[in-house]
Amino acid sequence: MGEDIGEHAVRFRILGSFECWDGPERVRVGGPVHEKVLVTLLLEPQRVLPVFRLVEAAWDENAPATAAHQVRKAVAELRQRIPDGRNLIVTEGPGYRALTTPEQVDLSRFTEGLKQAREATASGQTAYAATALREALDLWRGPLLSGSGGSVLSAASAALEERRLTAVEQLFDLRLAAGENGELIGELREFIEENPLRETLRGQLMLALFRSGRQAEALEEFAKVREFLVDELGIGPGDALTDLHHAILRNSPELAAPVQPAGPAPFTPEGSPSTLPYDLGDFTGREEEVRQLLGFVEDAPGTGPLIVAIDGMGGSGKTSLAVRAAHQLTDRYPDAQLHIDLRGFTPSEPPLGAGAAAEALLRMLGAPGERIPDDAEGRIALWRRTMSSRRMILLLDNAVDESQIRPLLASPTQTLVLVTSRSLLVDLDAAHTVSLGVMPPHDSVALVEGVLGSARARAEPEAVAQLAELCGHLPLALRIAAARLRKRPRWTVRYLVERLRDDAHRLAELNSGERSVEVTLRLSYEGLSAETREAFRLLGQHPGSEIEVYAAGALLDKRARDAEDVLEYLLDMHLLQQHETGRYAFHDLVRSFAQNLSRVSGRPAPGTEDGDVGADNEEAARAVRRLLDFALNATDTACDLLFPGRVRVHRPAHRSSAELPPLDTPDQARNWLEREQDSLLAAVSLAYRWELDSHVGLLAANVVFPLDLRGRLEEFRELCRTAVTASRRLGDPALLRLSLSNLAVACWKLGRFEEGIEMSEEAFGLAVELADRRGEAKDTGVLGLLLSALGRYDEALPRLEQSIAIKRELGAERAEAESLTSLSNLYAEWGRYPEAVEAAARAVTLARSIGAVDKEVESLTDLAVAQLGLGAVDEAADLLGRARKLAVDVMSPADMSLLLALSAEAADRLGENAQATEWAESALQLGDLSGAPMREAAVGNIVGRLHARRGRYALSLELHQRAHRAASGMGYRIEEARALAGMAHALEHLGELESARVHRATADRTFDAMGVPAGRTT
């Protein structure tokens, strides 16, 4: 919970007056609006806050008409003024998200401290709980923005103040339980003066007075509070305070302060013995951790043993760090420096008991055998007395858990106790914690260079960086890899990198003499219970980079809460990592180890030599099926919420009993799909490897929805191709038709029109064979869409009309709205605007009737295009405004770019120049449109025409040229012709008349071939 989060990290202090610090430098973020907006975002880090929430926080109910614009301007300026502000405050959907870590914001550290204190109190770690509360309360400097933030922030401050006072009361309880009494009276009176209605504080003051021998004053305090409550509220004290008053009147022995025990005379060693291992000459990196550890010593209060627990996965360099720090601190602890291996994770040896450890430590100090008691309790007692009288460093290395350590610690003492363990020692009272992760990339490279030699390392810098990556930046793995290279001077770094690329054999490569990454990991694994070992192996089947608790529950066949307990335990044992609450990840080498325990290759394979896993391949197969069934169930539920009226494919065999995440609202569904997109893609690949082809096709049909929404079109297409292959392998024509149809849509979005036509024609043929009328309607509509993009309107029109007729007959409102927008777009491109208006208006009505917001936005946009074609600019602007309000979170970045470009077109025609410029710039900057070539062409042409109207012909020419490259590359005829016409117009005004004439003639021929009339650039 300390303040130090790195010399150059940006930090925010919002508990009191607002402060922003970049290392030692104060950062000025701006005026009151800037501070209110930023503090509001920092109150809920990692959460998207819509602009209207920020407006409310900045102005309450007195927001000016330009409030939303001022908020956006303030955010833009915050991004400029705060170091790395663009990555710290990101735009998402309707608002902004602050991507701060808990260490960067004092409120986050305050909240984490209270949580740690609650957990420590519940598990009996009272000293640690008191320390956590003190550190949390030290962060408090007052209400948000010192009380000047307005009603919204004042309400948040009031809630925080209540949490602070509760924490103050908890700390007083702990201090009373620890025997403090008289020293608390003054502090308690100060808090009561500020908060006279807090009966808990009054009771604590009464108890402190009573235990200090001031019974009369305690009773007088009760009389005061009773009179105050009656005068102020018309009520008397509560039951708890009244019961305490009665107990004080009876002089009840239950109110007496706890008594501390005492012990025997210590052994006095001679000299200054040291058994520390040698400090590594090539020790690299970990400067921050060493600084943190030395800082604990500087700040030590001297009232008990200074305990620093260093935890981390096997091979992370815990012992090396502890030894490095111990050698730097020998002058502070001159009496002795002792190291003992507690053998918590040592091959073929049981952990060292406390009695045996005490005997070994006493012998290190030179205690003669006759002075050492025979019984374990006597040895421990003698060691503790000896320890309490010396200034020494005690390095307890390789501890298995807290129970192994606790008997060896005495209080009071001036000993520095350094403990290393692979598990997080959460129950070690009053311990500071240093948790080691992997090394930063530059330190990893430096470590390889230090072991291998700078000449060889610097000769292949790229290969060394790749080596560090393949070693997962784990110090043990890096040292082994570098040592192997040093022993083999003929090997290049690149050669070892290529050997390490084979994930199945990577652990075998990281083996050198007595040191082995696999052996190190196996020791941690074998320290688990049989049930947890099984869970670890099954979790290794998860295909994604992160595991959330509900997916883990499906894999482990447990409720989510029970699965989370398993994940948290593995996290404490450093067999899992966590970068975000509720989400867990394997280190790359740990994942390789987990998968090697029950290595499968597409199908269940024979067991490995591990006795635990030889019969587990079938269990792994069942776990994978449970995970895939869960993914199907969850994506079905989420997609039903987000895309009302869609067609769901029912396969009863894939029903799942696994607990689902909260998916009750569209926001929950959207957030879950956003977080899980990559894991869902990996799940499809997992299903394909296991030849669970039905899962491949069905899951892909759901996952394409969020991919489309986020504009990940190439992945959309590849996913559909995988589904087509799996469906052919399975021999399921219905699933094949669905997969081909989705692939055709992906091809349309990517401008691969001929490929899309081939896919949709095959899908249509299957639909006819299967008598699948819904499939016929879908595939006929997609075919019409593709033909329309090629400018073959005469062929496209009857297909779209046929598709709409079937969908209307089937009552498929969502599908009909979809085809109506395609028809409207065709008519608009063809110049038949009244018919385009009719089709789009019908689509708007249908989409709204079923609550399909995504389709309503598409329909409103197409209706606006048709109205622009008719010259009804006011109507078009109104429609586009409605579309923008609905578009948040339901449009891909590319589609939003088109909407903004059309909005700019309408605003420009209405003479709203500033607004038109803002939307035009946003349309071009919203995202990389190169992955959505149809939108790239359309947006470039629209904005190009806008600039031409303003006389910016060079910029107009550049945009039309870009649009032409995109359109001609895929055969998007209408935008190709529009780009040529726009280029001709710009070139004419730039004086390049011959080039303009050629482009104009080509455009006219293209328009004529499509039957598009005059006015075709609309």
Side-chain angles (χ1 to χ4, degrees), residues 591-614:
R591 179 186 293 280
S592 295
F593 174 71
Q595 292 175 341
N596 284 350
L597 287 172
S598 52
R599 172 63 62 182
V600 294
S601 179
R603 283 182 168 276
T608 68
E609 60 190 38
D610 186 326
D612 268 346
V613 302

Side-chain angles (χ1 to χ4, degrees), residues 204-381:
Q204 290 167 332
L205 175 58
M206 290 167 61
L207 185 59
L209 288 166
F210 174 76
R211 287 179 176 177
S212 301
R214 298 158 68 174
Q215 183 181 16
E217 290 181 60
L219 295 171
E220 182 183 352
E221 186 63 34
F222 180 77
K224 287 180 183 178
V225 67
R226 179 171 55 191
E227 181 181 355
F228 180 83
L229 290 172
V230 169
D231 289 346
E232 292 292 322
L233 303 177
I235 60 172
D239 292 344
L241 205 59
T242 302
D243 291 345
L244 175 62
H245 174 243
H246 291 158
I248 292 172
L249 283 171
R250 295 194 312 271
N251 202 14
S252 172
E254 294 177 359
L255 301 182
V259 181
Q260 304 295 322
F267 162 72
T268 304
E270 296 181 2
S272 179
S274 177
T275 62
L276 290 176
Y278 68 91
D279 189 13
L280 290 176
D282 57 3
F283 183 90
T284 304
R286 303 299 191 195
E287 290 90 352
E288 178 58 34
E289 288 83 357
V290 171
R291 230 180 358 254
Q292 185 182 9
L293 202 156
L294 298 179
F296 292 146
V297 176
E298 289 291 335
D299 299 336
T303 57
L306 173 60
I307 306 169
V308 181
I310 305 169
D311 60 86
M313 67 181 289
S316 59
K318 301 178 293 296
T319 301
S320 299
L321 172 65
V323 169
R324 164 59 57 109
H327 278 287
Q328 294 187 24
L329 292 166
T330 53
D331 290 344
R332 281 179 169 269
Y333 300 91
D335 294 344
Q337 303 90 38
L338 307 183
H339 166 269
I340 184 169
D341 183 358
L342 296 178
R343 301 199 305 242
F345 300 90
T346 301
S348 306
E349 293 189 53
L352 204 63
E359 179 182 2
L361 290 166
L362 287 167
R363 291 190 183 279
M364 290 178 199
L365 291 175
E370 62 271 15
R371 286 289 312 272
I372 300 175
D374 293 333
D375 63 300
E377 289 186 7
R379 294 171 188 164
I380 292 169

Side-chain angles (χ1 to χ4, degrees), residues 952-986:
R952 299 172 183 165
Y953 297 111
L955 181 54
S956 174
L957 177 61
E958 180 185 341
L959 288 166
H960 285 305
Q961 286 173 332
R962 190 187 308 169
H964 184 260
R965 284 193 296 273
S968 60
M970 58 184 161
Y972 190 10
R973 299 288 300 284
I974 189 66
E975 294 300 345
E976 184 179 357
R978 287 171 176 169
L980 287 166
M983 290 160 62
H985 181 65

Side-chain angles (χ1 to χ4, degrees), residues 82 142 173 201 236 300 438 464 496 593 640 774 795 806:
I82 299 171
D173 274 341
L201 291 172
V438 296
V464 169
L496 181 55
F593 174 71
D640 286 348
R774 192 177 289 271
E795 299 174 66
I806 299 174

Side-chain angles (χ1 to χ4, degrees), residues 555-574:
L555 269 172
L556 303 179
D557 200 17
K558 295 178 180 289
R559 301 289 294 174
R561 183 62 181 269
D562 297 330
E564 186 175 25
D565 290 342
V566 174
L567 292 166
E568 285 290 323
Y569 179 74
L570 291 172
L571 179 66
D572 287 347
M573 296 301 295
H574 288 282

